Amino acid sequence: MSIPKTIFVISGPSGSGKTTLLKGILSDRLLRRKLARSVSYTTRPKRSGEKNGRDYYFITAQEFQEKLRSKKLLEWTEYLGYYYGTPTTFFSDKYSAKSGLLLCLDIKGARRVRELYPKNSVSIFVMPLSLKLLPERIQKRCSRTGAKEIEQRLALAEEEVRASRHYEYRIVNKDLGKAIAALRTIIKKELSAQAVRNKRGVRT
Ligand code: 5GP
């Protein structure tokens, strides 16, 4: 299996805005050329506005088990009763030409990628401005999310924020424009450091 040169793992509680941040990053033409974004498999139902193959590959639990059995997942997690997994296809030759790969993972997936690629991965945690504002943001994002699921996502958010100390970078999403700029700076800095290592012939 070949790997992209730098793997950026981005985590953050539900409603912290990490998906919007990633969209902001990929609106930069230069970065879009250098980076690929992985699309995960999930068994959770599609939300309105989501597109199969763009946001996730929406599959059944049975199909997910089959992916696991046939080793088609680099890592996977169970999140509030649904399965999510990163396809190994993003670790194929096709993507090894890219300077970086963006993965949006929960804290368990982030830990796994750090273990698998300690030298090639960079972990970034997106902090919500305040846990108090999350219910409203979660509700807005998934209009059909029930009160119970919002409660579960909030309980998880506290655990996730506690785990943020294991990440190399933390971004507080107070102002979207500034948060995108901060993320862009981190990515560019890490890609330049990698370019220097490559030049020197240091194996990563
Ligand atoms: P959501 O249901 O809000 O789209 O995602 C729930 C959580 O699962 C988020 O923290 C998201 O980053 C994470 N997630 C999405 N895809 C994957 C994946 O392939 N692997 C892991 N470990 N987490 C994922």
Side-chain angles (χ1 to χ4, degrees), residues 109-177:
R111 201 167 50 226
R112 182 77 190 121
V113 171
R114 269 199 300 270
E115 283 166 5
L116 285 172
Y117 305 112
K119 289 186 183 161
N120 297 63
S121 61
V122 175
S123 56
I124 303 159
F125 193 89
V126 181
M127 298 282 276
L129 179 57
S130 143
L131 287 177
K132 284 196 202 116
L133 297 176
L134 283 187
E136 194 190 319
R137 290 184 67 160
I138 297 172
Q139 180 79 69
K140 230 191 252 168
R141 201 182 44 146
C142 15
S143 54
R144 289 205 315 259
T145 306
K148 188 165 166 246
E149 191 181 328
I150 293 179
E151 222 172 82
Q152 288 172 323
R153 283 181 179 257
L154 283 173
L156 260 181
E158 289 179 17
E159 188 189 331
E160 288 165 330
V161 169
R162 274 197 300 276
S164 68
R165 67 179 191 278
H166 300 298
Y167 286 68
E168 285 153 83
Y169 295 98
R170 283 194 289 184
I171 294 175
V172 180
N173 192 3
K174 185 176 172 190
D175 171 291
L176 184 63

Side-chain angles (χ1 to χ4, degrees), residues 81-127:
Y82 297 115
Y83 296 110
Y84 298 78
T86 306
T88 51
T89 40
F90 290 96
F91 292 75
S92 64
D93 287 344
K94 183 175 161 203
Y95 292 95
S96 63
K98 288 279 183 185
S99 303
L101 176 67
L102 300 171
L103 299 177
C104 215
L105 306 179
D106 73 340
I107 53 177
K108 183 182 157 209
R111 201 167 50 226
R112 182 77 190 121
V113 171
R114 269 199 300 270
E115 283 166 5
L116 285 172
Y117 305 112
K119 289 186 183 161
N120 297 63
S121 61
V122 175
S123 56
I124 303 159
F125 193 89
V126 181
M127 298 282 276

